[in-house]
Amino acid sequence: MRAAIESLPGSKIREVANAGLGRADVLAFWFGESDEPTPASICQAAADSLSRGETFYSHNLGLPELREAIAAYASALHGPLGADRIAVTSSGVTALMLAMQMLVGSGDEVVAVVPVWPNLTAQPAILGAQVRRVALRPQGGQWRLDLDELIAQVTPRTRVLLINAPNNPTGWTLSRVEQQALLAHCRRTGTWIVADEVYERIFFGDAPAAPSFLDLATPQDRLVVAQSFSKSFLMTGWRLGWLVLPADAMGAAGKLLEFNSSCAPVFVQRGGLAALAEADTLVPAIAAHLKACRDRLLTGLSALPGITVASPPGGMYAFFRIEGQDDSLALAKRLVADHGLGLAPGAAFGPEGEGWLRWCFASRDLARLDQGLARLAAAMPL
Ligand SMILES: Cc1ncc(COP(=O)(O)O)c(C=O)c1O
């Protein structure tokens, strides 16, 4: 086995989940998904596709009509963008892996803004790249990026700048000014930006989407945006996503897709088409519900003693710490074992997250969040 694979860390979230294995009474908020099933119209479209016998391969880059629909959806949010820049992928995580396979090889340098969903930094590591980490910090009740520090770390030797915003786990969202500065800097250094924008529609500001690099970049810029149906359409189990690429990268994307999944399943792509057809009503409703979830959880957490928590401007997580608790893995295991409360340890998102806990507030029923809060309150002092 390659050393890069042997040395991959195991999932600390799974480690906590295993501590509650076989217990039906655990309230689990550890994974990044809602407990609400996919809207019925989307499921029906996939079922109809299977009934029609659509059980064959599609084009590597996806069904042409789905690529068109994605381009129209993205254009409405970010300005004109052709279907010739869209590659359909079997999930957001696959989109990101393809981007990494396209761009980085052994010994390349990648700079990542952290803490972050661990898959993002594991992918370049799998390919033998070196990942340098630039940490967000909590400041004045919000997570902040030290822009000067990040810019100083991105040099002509940096192959890829990896940014996830809205960020999992902190909810930190890149500002327009920060995006402009980073794009201008990466143009100077020749660095690719890989932007993980899968939470762009789970945004609680005064806009239908969080600021995207697509709003600023030209089609020639070295920019790859990874997207997913998982979060904004409640489709985590479907495994459907897409990439927005510079037009001259599409040949490479098609080739690589062939060697990875070849294509996303056609009936799943039909589900994606149905989702996009209803995006204007579905996504705002899902985002509004998640905002209500966020507000409910934040109000409850803020009322508990010794808790530090910032209200996330996007995403579906509250990232918080409890005074005096520095070992997040031990704490998360204790909360499961003794109190039936399933949270993700901050250390799962890198050393920068140590001492913090992540609570996914995507809950069909807000009362479930209240029950979780009651368990946390009963566990205190810890
Ligand atoms: C930051 C981030 N990017 C990408 C993904 C990938 O989502 P999926 O593979 O379900 O499309 C996730 C899922 O949790 C995520 O949190």
Side-chain angles (χ1 to χ4, degrees):
M1 188 59 64
R2 288 169 53 225
I5 311 301
E6 291 280 16
S7 60
L8 284 174
S11 164
K12 292 194 171 68
I13 304 181
R14 291 275 173 197
E15 219 178 294
V16 176
N18 289 343
L21 218 61
R23 280 184 52 183
D25 63 325
V26 173
L27 283 174
F29 302 100
W30 39 43
F31 296 134
E33 63 183 350
S34 173
D35 57 342
E36 182 159 5
T38 305
S41 53
I42 300 175
C43 299
Q44 191 59 53
D48 290 347
S49 166
L50 283 172
S51 305
R52 283 197 302 274
E54 290 191 325
T55 55
F56 303 99
Y57 296 127
S58 78
H59 191 288
N60 293 132
L61 293 171
L63 293 173
E65 54 270 51
L66 179 56
R67 294 176 67 202
E68 288 290 346
I70 291 171
Y73 170 82
S75 297
L77 291 170
H78 306 303
L81 198 145
D84 58 341
R85 294 181 56 201
I86 306 294
V88 175
T89 61
S90 297
S91 76
V93 66
T94 304
L96 287 158
M97 192 67 185
L98 286 162
M100 286 299 146
Q101 289 174 357
M102 257 182 262
L103 300 176
V104 308
S106 184
D108 281 341
E109 180 188 285
V110 172
V111 171
V113 176
V114 294
V116 78
W117 187 53
N119 298 34
L120 276 187
T121 45
Q123 289 175 336
I126 287 168
L127 297 165
Q130 302 297 318
V131 181
R132 299 240 303 264
R133 306 171 71 91
V134 174
L136 300 168
R137 294 195 186 84
Q139 220 178 63
Q142 280 300 324
W143 286 85
R144 306 253 179 235
L145 171 70
D146 184 335
L147 186 62
D148 292 339
E149 183 189 353
L150 179 57
I151 282 180
Q153 292 296 323
V154 175
T155 72
R157 284 190 309 281
T158 311
R159 185 88 179 126
V160 167
L161 169 60
L162 190 47
I163 300 196
N164 163 229
N167 168 267
N168 173 5
T170 63
W172 165 77
T173 299
L174 198 56
S175 72
R176 176 67 76 223
V177 171
E178 289 167 333
Q179 278 180 336
Q180 276 160 342
L182 290 171
L183 182 62
H185 182 70
C186 288
R187 282 176 179 157
R188 284 191 291 272
T189 58
T191 300
W192 283 83
I193 295 174
V194 173
D196 175 343
E197 299 185 354
V198 307
Y199 294 102
E200 74 162 348
R201 302 300 305 276
I202 318 293
F203 178 60
F204 311 121
D206 292 331
S212 165
F213 277 102
L214 291 174
D215 301 327
L216 303 176
T218 70
Q220 288 74 41
D221 272 313
R222 295 182 166 190
L223 170 68
V224 179
V225 175
Q227 269 295 356
S228 172
F229 283 85
S230 286
K231 315 290 174 176
S232 337
F233 296 99
L234 305 172
M235 290 175 70
T236 48
W238 292 66
R239 318 311 300 131
L240 189 63
W242 72 88
L243 283 170
V244 183
L245 295 151
D248 64 5
M250 297 314 291
K255 274 192 283 188
L256 262 184
L257 266 153
E258 173 62 25
F259 303 130
N260 280 271
S261 56
S262 297
C263 62
V266 172
F267 64 95
V268 169
Q269 295 191 59
R270 293 281 179 218
L273 260 170
L276 291 174
E278 287 186 64
D280 287 349
T281 46
L282 283 180
V283 177
I286 290 167
H289 178 71
L290 288 174
K291 184 170 188 293
C293 291
R294 176 197 70 165
D295 293 346
R296 183 78 146 251
L297 182 64
L298 261 287
T299 305
L301 280 178
S302 309
L304 294 175
I307 286 197
T308 305
V309 62
S311 181
M316 44 199 220
Y317 310 100
F319 204 51
F320 67 102
R321 63 180 305 153
I322 303 174
E323 208 175 296
Q325 299 295 325
D326 295 325
D327 184 338
S328 62
L329 185 59
L331 175 59
K333 283 183 177 171
R334 209 143 42 86
L335 285 170
V336 178
D338 300 345
H339 305 282
L341 179 62
L343 303 178
F349 307 92
E352 307 79 12
E354 184 51 293
W356 296 75
L357 293 167
R358 188 194 74 174
W359 185 320
C360 175
F361 52 69
S363 185
R364 181 184 198 168
D365 181 359
L366 270 66
R368 216 175 123 253
L369 297 171
D370 297 337
Q371 289 162 17
L373 283 162
R375 289 189 186 185
L376 183 59
M380 292 174 118
L382 281 151

